[in-house]
């Protein structure tokens, strides 16, 4: 799946940057689909590139406890609030690798003022981000969401590969990507269509909190 140049690059970057061991969790789902084997093959390849990376499958019971929406799902054992649904390919592959490194380091790069605001959030925030592999604006949206979830465990970040899950995406009226949907304490509060960076995502969440608290 990964070409030799990519493997060499990843071996080097994993040797340099991985700190703690990382266990990736794979949920295959109750019914096999054509994406499951591809995702499992990718996780196998990644685990072969560094002794610090491993993966294991989780069962339906655990998936229910984690309230997983779709399969295949990829999570991090030490950060189960970060979820990728589908194949992290194209532009999204770098997002996945960078997030893997962040989780291993238990740190991520955010402007200090944004990081402080994210850390202060006390409500249960769920960010659902719809992406596609060939969208050049999607990685920023997905990466920002994952960074927020690394900073604050109250934030659950779910990234959906929209073209793989078309029916689910249409339930949220996804006609273009990226699309960001914010839930607060399980209630859908705000949607945003188009590009999102860290500053914009913070504003979207702030606006959602204002709406949720009845101030807008």
């Amino acid at each position: 799946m990964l070409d030799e140049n990519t493997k060499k690059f990843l071996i080097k970057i994993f040797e340099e940057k991985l700190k703690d061991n990382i266990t990736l969790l794979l949920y295959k789902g109750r019914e096999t689909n054509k994406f499951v084997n591809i995702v499992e093959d990718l996780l196998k390849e990644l685990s072969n590139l560094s002794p610090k990376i491993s993966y294991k499958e989780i069962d339906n019971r655990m998936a229910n406890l984690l309230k997983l929406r779709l399969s295949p799902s990829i999570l991090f054992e030490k950060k189960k609030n970060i979820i990728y649904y589908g194949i992290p390919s194209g532009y999204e592959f770098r997002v996945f690798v960078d997030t893997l490194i962040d989780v291993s380091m238990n740190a991520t790069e955010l402007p200090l003022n944004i990081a402080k605001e994210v850390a202060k959030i006390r409500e249960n925030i769920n960010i659902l981000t719809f992406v596609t592999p060939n969208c050049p604006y999607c990685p920023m949206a997905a990466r920002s969401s994952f960074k927020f979830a690394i900073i604050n465990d109250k934030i659950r970040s779910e990234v959906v590969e929209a073209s793989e899950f078309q029916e689910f995406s249409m339930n949220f009226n996804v006609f273009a990507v990226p699309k960001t949907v914010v839930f607060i304490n399980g209630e859908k509060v705000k949607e945003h269509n188009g590009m999102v960076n860290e500053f914009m995502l913070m504003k979207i969440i702030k606006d959602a909190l204002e709406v949720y608290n009845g101030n807008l």
Side-chain angles (χ1 to χ4, degrees), residues 1 28 32-43 72:
M1 177 176 288
K28 294 183 178 181
T32 302
N33 64 50
K34 62 183 178 181
F35 306 115
V36 169
N37 291 337
I38 297 174
V39 170
E40 185 167 26
D41 287 346
L42 175 61
L43 299 191

Side-chain angles (χ1 to χ4, degrees), residues 171-188:
N171 289 337
F172 290 90
N173 298 313
V174 178
F175 298 104
V177 291
K179 179 167 185 172
T180 305
V181 184
V182 176
F183 300 77
I184 301 178
N185 295 325
E187 178 183 335
K188 187 173 76 172

Side-chain angles (χ1 to χ4, degrees), residues 113-181:
N113 61 323
I114 296 293
K116 286 181 176 179
E117 289 187 276
V118 171
K120 289 178 182 177
I121 292 173
R122 292 294 173 263
E123 303 284 1
N124 292 307
I125 305 289
N126 187 182
I127 307 168
L128 194 58
T129 308
F130 292 89
V131 302
T132 57
N134 299 319
C135 164
Y137 303 106
C138 289
M140 188 181 297
R143 188 84 172 98
S144 298
S145 177
F146 283 158
K147 286 181 179 181
F148 282 25
I150 288 170
I151 294 287
N152 190 334
D153 287 340
K154 300 286 284 184
I155 298 174
R156 175 183 171 103
S157 172
E158 300 175 275
V159 171
V160 181
E161 210 290 70
S163 60
E164 292 177 27
F165 301 102
Q166 295 181 19
E167 184 177 348
F168 179 79
S169 299
M170 289 307 296
N171 289 337
F172 290 90
N173 298 313
V174 178
F175 298 104
V177 291
K179 179 167 185 172
T180 305
V181 184

Side-chain angles (χ1 to χ4, degrees), residues 11 14-15 18 21-22 46-54:
I11 289 170
F14 288 156
E15 286 177 348
L18 290 183
N21 291 340
I22 286 292
L46 289 173
S47 66
N48 288 332
L49 298 180
S50 170
K52 291 189 174 182
I53 301 174
S54 61

